[in-house]
Amino acid sequence: THQDKSEAEKARDLKRKQLQAKKKATPAEPQAAAKVTEANLDIGDAYTGFRLPLPVTPEGARGLLQHYLMNGDNDPLHPKYVNYLTTQFTQLYRARHPKPVVYTDTPKPGRIIVVGDTHGQLADVCHILYHLGAPTSQNKFLFNGDMVDRGPYGVEVLLIVFAFFLSDAECIIVHRGNHENEDMNALDADAGGGFTDEVMRKYGLMAYRRFVSAFKVLSLCSVVEKEIFVVHGGLSRVASMSIDYLNSIDHTEVTTPHPTAVDIKDQIFSDLVWSDPTDQNGKFKSERGIGIKFGQDITTKFCMQNRLRFVIR
């Protein structure tokens, strides 16, 4: 009858219910990391590389940072540590920040440091963390996406970020950029990608799949002190876009929606990680084929509608 749902609608409803049931059935508890120790991880005596104390402590995270500063990827972390860091980060970050928008305040006393694209540049990340201090609850870092691809050390950059988060969930917020995305990762490094090849070379396919799972829980944007909007890409094609509406997006099913997605929330999701500002007022199609270009007038309107002072991207 006219009131009956179509088969396609029924399938979408079933998929949505299955996803919701899966999320409820596998809650990520903040104490999960404490259940694993170095002993029951069973690294073995043959491994002579860096030993990461488990559960991860601030001292252990700083030790990992120092290890990578001295060795780069010449003395790789044991695969079981990599598995532990990626899996635990995915569970605990999803529990800590289940929605796409993070609301946060500046620590008092303290500060928030926003870090832009690092693109696998380990030396840059080490320089930033040594120059500005390691992440703590009073020295909070917000990594604003694009931590991988192009550069050769995306794995090491992520493992440092994951370790500090596991040592203190108050010290780091991690945003998704357009390169925390399988399609971009699959490109050659010379074409702007390279992360898939990097992980496959260092740790194999299963490790890459765990990194992708981590990408799917990363936040899309943050509101700092109720007045500063931080996002990797930019604003959306939607005329009146509230922060509450952004927070209703399901951001954990895919790393980034398909470029031809027609669902409005998928389009907004893509805009947040792909859009770019332009000097001209108005909104325009992007030559990237995804996201938009937005002018100063669009930024001003968005800030006025949401009572924000400015946007960081």
Coordinates of all heavy atoms in Angstrom, one line a residue, residues 72-119:
G72 N 63.7 7.8 14.3 CA 62.8 7.8 13.1 C 62.1 6.5 13.0 O 61.6 5.9 14.0
D73 N 62.1 5.9 11.8 CA 61.5 4.5 11.7 C 62.6 3.5 11.5 O 62.3 2.3 11.1 CB 60.5 4.5 10.5 CG 61.2 4.8 9.2 OD1 62.4 5.2 9.2 OD2 60.5 4.7 8.1
N74 N 63.8 3.8 11.9 CA 64.9 2.8 11.8 C 64.9 1.8 12.8 O 65.5 0.7 12.7 CB 66.3 3.6 11.8 CG 66.5 4.4 10.6 OD1 66.2 4.0 9.5 ND2 67.1 5.6 10.8
D75 N 64.2 2.1 14.0 CA 64.0 1.1 15.0 C 62.6 1.0 15.3 O 62.1 1.6 16.3 CB 64.8 1.6 16.3 CG 64.8 0.5 17.4 OD1 64.3 -0.6 17.2 OD2 65.3 0.8 18.5
P76 N 61.8 0.3 14.5 CA 60.3 0.3 14.6 C 59.8 -0.3 15.9 O 60.4 -1.2 16.5 CB 59.9 -0.5 13.4 CG 61.1 -1.4 13.0 CD 62.3 -0.6 13.4
L77 N 58.7 0.3 16.3 CA 57.9 -0.3 17.4 C 57.4 -1.6 17.1 O 57.0 -1.9 16.0 CB 56.8 0.7 17.8 CG 56.2 0.6 19.2 CD1 57.2 1.0 20.2 CD2 55.0 1.6 19.3
H78 N 57.4 -2.5 18.1 CA 56.9 -3.9 17.9 C 55.4 -3.8 17.4 O 54.6 -3.0 17.9 CB 56.9 -4.7 19.2 CG 56.8 -6.1 19.1 ND1 55.5 -6.7 18.8 CD2 57.7 -7.2 19.1 CE1 55.7 -8.0 18.7 NE2 57.0 -8.3 18.9
P79 N 55.0 -4.7 16.5 CA 53.7 -4.7 15.9 C 52.6 -4.8 17.0 O 51.5 -4.3 16.8 CB 53.7 -5.9 15.0 CG 55.1 -6.0 14.5 CD 55.9 -5.6 15.7
K80 N 52.9 -5.5 18.1 CA 51.9 -5.7 19.1 C 51.6 -4.4 19.9 O 50.5 -4.1 20.3 CB 52.3 -6.8 20.1 CG 52.2 -8.2 19.5 CD 52.5 -9.2 20.6 CE 52.3 -10.6 20.0 NZ 52.5 -11.7 21.0
Y81 N 52.6 -3.5 20.0 CA 52.4 -2.2 20.5 C 51.6 -1.3 19.6 O 50.7 -0.6 20.0 CB 53.8 -1.5 20.8 CG 54.5 -1.9 22.0 CD1 55.9 -2.2 21.8 CD2 54.0 -2.0 23.2 CE1 56.6 -2.6 22.9 CE2 54.7 -2.4 24.3 CZ 56.0 -2.7 24.2 OH 56.8 -3.1 25.3
V82 N 51.8 -1.5 18.3 CA 51.1 -0.7 17.3 C 49.6 -1.1 17.3 O 48.7 -0.3 17.3 CB 51.7 -0.9 15.9 CG1 50.8 -0.2 14.8 CG2 53.1 -0.5 15.8
N83 N 49.4 -2.4 17.4 CA 48.0 -3.0 17.5 C 47.3 -2.4 18.8 O 46.2 -1.9 18.7 CB 48.1 -4.5 17.6 CG 46.7 -5.1 17.7 OD1 45.7 -4.5 17.5 ND2 46.7 -6.4 18.1
Y84 N 48.1 -2.4 19.9 CA 47.5 -2.0 21.2 C 47.2 -0.5 21.1 O 46.0 -0.1 21.4 CB 48.5 -2.2 22.3 CG 48.2 -1.5 23.6 CD1 47.4 -2.2 24.5 CD2 48.7 -0.3 23.9 CE1 47.0 -1.6 25.7 CE2 48.3 0.4 25.1 CZ 47.5 -0.3 26.0 OH 47.2 0.3 27.2
L85 N 48.1 0.3 20.6 CA 47.8 1.8 20.5 C 46.7 2.2 19.6 O 45.8 3.0 20.0 CB 49.1 2.5 20.1 CG 50.3 2.5 21.1 CD1 51.5 3.1 20.4 CD2 49.9 3.4 22.3
T86 N 46.6 1.5 18.4 CA 45.5 1.9 17.5 C 44.2 1.4 18.0 O 43.2 2.1 18.0 CB 45.8 1.3 16.1 OG1 46.1 -0.1 16.2 CG2 46.9 2.0 15.4
T87 N 44.1 0.2 18.6 CA 42.9 -0.4 19.0 C 42.4 0.4 20.3 O 41.2 0.7 20.3 CB 43.0 -1.9 19.4 OG1 43.5 -2.6 18.2 CG2 41.7 -2.5 19.8
Q88 N 43.3 0.6 21.2 CA 42.8 1.3 22.4 C 42.4 2.7 22.2 O 41.5 3.3 22.7 CB 44.0 1.2 23.5 CG 44.2 -0.1 24.1 CD 43.0 -0.6 24.8 OE1 42.4 0.1 25.6 NE2 42.7 -1.9 24.7
F89 N 43.2 3.4 21.3 CA 42.8 4.8 20.9 C 41.4 4.8 20.3 O 40.6 5.7 20.7 CB 43.8 5.4 19.9 CG 43.4 6.7 19.4 CD1 43.7 7.9 20.1 CD2 42.7 6.8 18.2 CE1 43.2 9.1 19.7 CE2 42.3 8.1 17.7 CZ 42.5 9.2 18.5
T90 N 41.2 3.9 19.4 CA 39.9 3.9 18.7 C 38.7 3.7 19.7 O 37.7 4.4 19.7 CB 39.8 2.8 17.7 OG1 40.8 2.9 16.7 CG2 38.5 2.7 17.0
Q91 N 38.9 2.8 20.7 CA 37.8 2.5 21.7 C 37.7 3.7 22.6 O 36.6 4.2 22.9 CB 38.2 1.3 22.5 CG 38.1 0.0 21.7 CD 38.5 -1.2 22.5 OE1 38.9 -1.1 23.7 NE2 38.4 -2.4 21.9
L92 N 38.8 4.2 23.1 CA 38.7 5.3 24.1 C 38.4 6.6 23.6 O 37.7 7.4 24.2 CB 40.0 5.3 24.9 CG 40.4 4.0 25.6 CD1 41.6 4.3 26.5 CD2 39.3 3.5 26.5
Y93 N 38.8 6.9 22.3 CA 38.5 8.2 21.7 C 37.0 8.3 21.4 O 36.3 9.3 21.7 CB 39.3 8.5 20.5 CG 39.2 10.0 20.1 CD1 40.1 10.9 20.6 CD2 38.2 10.4 19.2 CE1 40.1 12.2 20.2 CE2 38.1 11.8 18.9 CZ 39.1 12.7 19.4 OH 39.0 14.0 19.1
R94 N 36.4 7.1 20.9 CA 35.0 7.1 20.6 C 34.2 7.2 21.9 O 33.1 7.9 21.9 CB 34.7 5.7 20.0 CG 33.2 5.6 19.6 CD 33.0 4.3 18.8 NE 33.5 3.1 19.6 CZ 33.9 2.0 19.0 NH1 33.9 1.9 17.7 NH2 34.3 1.0 19.8
A95 N 34.7 6.7 23.0 CA 34.0 6.8 24.3 C 34.0 8.3 24.8 O 33.1 8.8 25.4 CB 34.5 5.9 25.3
R96 N 35.2 8.9 24.7 CA 35.4 10.2 25.2 C 34.7 11.3 24.3 O 34.1 12.2 24.8 CB 36.9 10.5 25.1 CG 37.3 11.9 25.7 CD 37.2 11.8 27.2 NE 37.6 13.0 27.9 CZ 37.6 13.2 29.2 NH1 37.2 12.3 30.0 NH2 38.0 14.4 29.7
H97 N 34.7 11.1 23.0 CA 34.1 12.1 22.1 C 33.2 11.3 21.1 O 33.5 11.2 19.9 CB 35.2 12.8 21.3 CG 36.2 13.5 22.2 ND1 35.8 14.6 23.0 CD2 37.5 13.4 22.3 CE1 36.9 15.0 23.7 NE2 37.9 14.3 23.3
P98 N 32.0 10.9 21.5 CA 31.1 10.1 20.7 C 30.4 10.9 19.6 O 29.9 10.4 18.6 CB 30.1 9.6 21.7 CG 30.0 10.6 22.8 CD 31.5 11.1 22.9
K99 N 30.4 12.3 19.7 CA 29.7 13.1 18.7 C 30.8 13.8 17.9 O 32.0 13.9 18.2 CB 28.9 14.2 19.5 CG 27.8 13.7 20.3 CD 26.6 13.2 19.4 CE 25.4 12.8 20.2 NZ 24.3 12.4 19.3
P100 N 30.4 14.3 16.7 CA 31.4 14.9 15.8 C 31.9 16.2 16.2 O 33.0 16.6 15.8 CB 30.6 15.0 14.4 CG 29.1 15.0 14.9 CD 29.0 14.1 16.0
V101 N 31.2 16.9 17.1 CA 31.6 18.2 17.6 C 32.2 18.0 19.0 O 31.5 17.4 19.9 CB 30.5 19.2 17.6 CG1 31.0 20.6 18.1 CG2 29.9 19.4 16.2
V102 N 33.4 18.6 19.3 CA 33.9 18.6 20.6 C 33.8 20.0 21.2 O 34.2 21.0 20.6 CB 35.4 18.2 20.6 CG1 36.0 18.3 22.0 CG2 35.6 16.8 20.1
Y103 N 33.2 20.1 22.4 CA 33.1 21.3 23.1 C 34.2 21.3 24.2 O 34.3 20.4 25.0 CB 31.7 21.5 23.8 CG 30.6 21.7 22.8 CD1 29.9 20.7 22.3 CD2 30.3 23.0 22.4 CE1 28.9 20.9 21.4 CE2 29.2 23.3 21.5 CZ 28.5 22.2 21.0 OH 27.5 22.4 20.1
T104 N 35.1 22.3 24.1 CA 36.2 22.3 25.1 C 36.5 23.7 25.5 O 36.1 24.7 24.8 CB 37.4 21.7 24.4 OG1 38.4 21.5 25.4 CG2 38.0 22.5 23.3
D105 N 37.2 23.8 26.6 CA 37.6 25.1 27.2 C 39.1 25.2 27.3 O 39.7 24.1 27.4 CB 36.9 25.4 28.5 CG 35.4 25.6 28.4 OD1 35.0 26.3 27.4 OD2 34.7 25.1 29.3
T106 N 39.7 26.3 27.4 CA 41.1 26.5 27.6 C 41.4 26.1 29.1 O 40.7 26.6 30.0 CB 41.5 27.9 27.4 OG1 41.1 28.3 26.0 CG2 43.0 28.1 27.5
P107 N 42.4 25.3 29.3 CA 42.7 24.9 30.7 C 43.0 26.2 31.5 O 43.7 27.1 30.9 CB 43.9 24.0 30.6 CG 43.9 23.5 29.2 CD 43.2 24.6 28.3
K108 N 42.7 26.2 32.7 CA 42.9 27.4 33.6 C 43.6 26.9 34.9 O 42.9 26.3 35.7 CB 41.7 28.1 33.9 CG 41.0 28.7 32.6 CD 39.6 29.3 32.9 CE 39.0 29.8 31.6 NZ 38.8 28.9 30.6
P109 N 44.9 27.1 35.0 CA 45.8 27.8 34.1 C 46.2 26.9 32.9 O 46.1 25.6 33.1 CB 47.0 28.1 34.9 CG 47.1 27.0 35.9 CD 45.6 26.7 36.2
G110 N 46.6 27.4 31.8 CA 47.0 26.6 30.7 C 46.6 27.2 29.3 O 46.3 28.4 29.3
R111 N 46.7 26.4 28.3 CA 46.5 26.9 26.9 C 46.1 25.7 26.0 O 46.3 24.5 26.4 CB 47.7 27.5 26.4 CG 48.9 26.6 26.3 CD 50.2 27.3 25.8 NE 51.3 26.4 25.8 CZ 52.5 26.8 25.3 NH1 52.7 28.0 24.8 NH2 53.5 25.9 25.3
I112 N 45.5 26.0 24.9 CA 45.2 25.1 23.8 C 46.1 25.5 22.6 O 46.1 26.6 22.2 CB 43.7 25.1 23.4 CG1 42.9 24.5 24.5 CG2 43.5 24.3 22.1 CD1 41.4 24.4 24.2
I113 N 46.8 24.5 22.1 CA 47.6 24.7 20.9 C 47.0 24.0 19.7 O 46.8 22.8 19.8 CB 49.0 24.2 21.2 CG1 49.6 24.9 22.4 CG2 49.9 24.3 19.9 CD1 50.8 24.2 23.0
V114 N 46.7 24.7 18.7 CA 46.1 24.1 17.5 C 47.2 23.8 16.5 O 48.0 24.7 16.1 CB 45.0 25.0 16.8 CG1 44.5 24.4 15.6 CG2 43.9 25.3 17.8
V115 N 47.3 22.6 16.1 CA 48.4 22.1 15.1 C 47.8 21.9 13.8 O 46.8 21.1 13.7 CB 49.1 20.9 15.7 CG1 50.2 20.5 14.7 CG2 49.7 21.1 17.0
G116 N 48.3 22.5 12.7 CA 47.7 22.3 11.4 C 48.3 21.0 10.8 O 48.8 20.1 11.4
D117 N 48.2 20.9 9.4 CA 48.7 19.7 8.7 C 50.1 19.3 9.0 O 51.0 20.2 8.9 CB 48.6 20.0 7.2 CG 47.2 20.3 6.8 OD1 46.3 20.6 7.6 OD2 47.0 20.4 5.5
T118 N 50.3 18.1 9.5 CA 51.7 17.6 9.7 C 52.1 16.7 8.6 O 53.3 16.5 8.4 CB 51.8 17.0 11.1 OG1 50.8 16.0 11.2 CG2 51.6 18.0 12.2
H119 N 51.2 16.0 7.9 CA 51.5 15.2 6.7 C 52.7 14.3 6.9 O 53.6 14.3 6.0 CB 51.6 16.1 5.5 CG 50.3 16.4 4.9 ND1 49.3 15.5 4.5 CD2 49.7 17.7 4.7 CE1 48.3 16.1 4.0 NE2 48.5 17.5 4.1

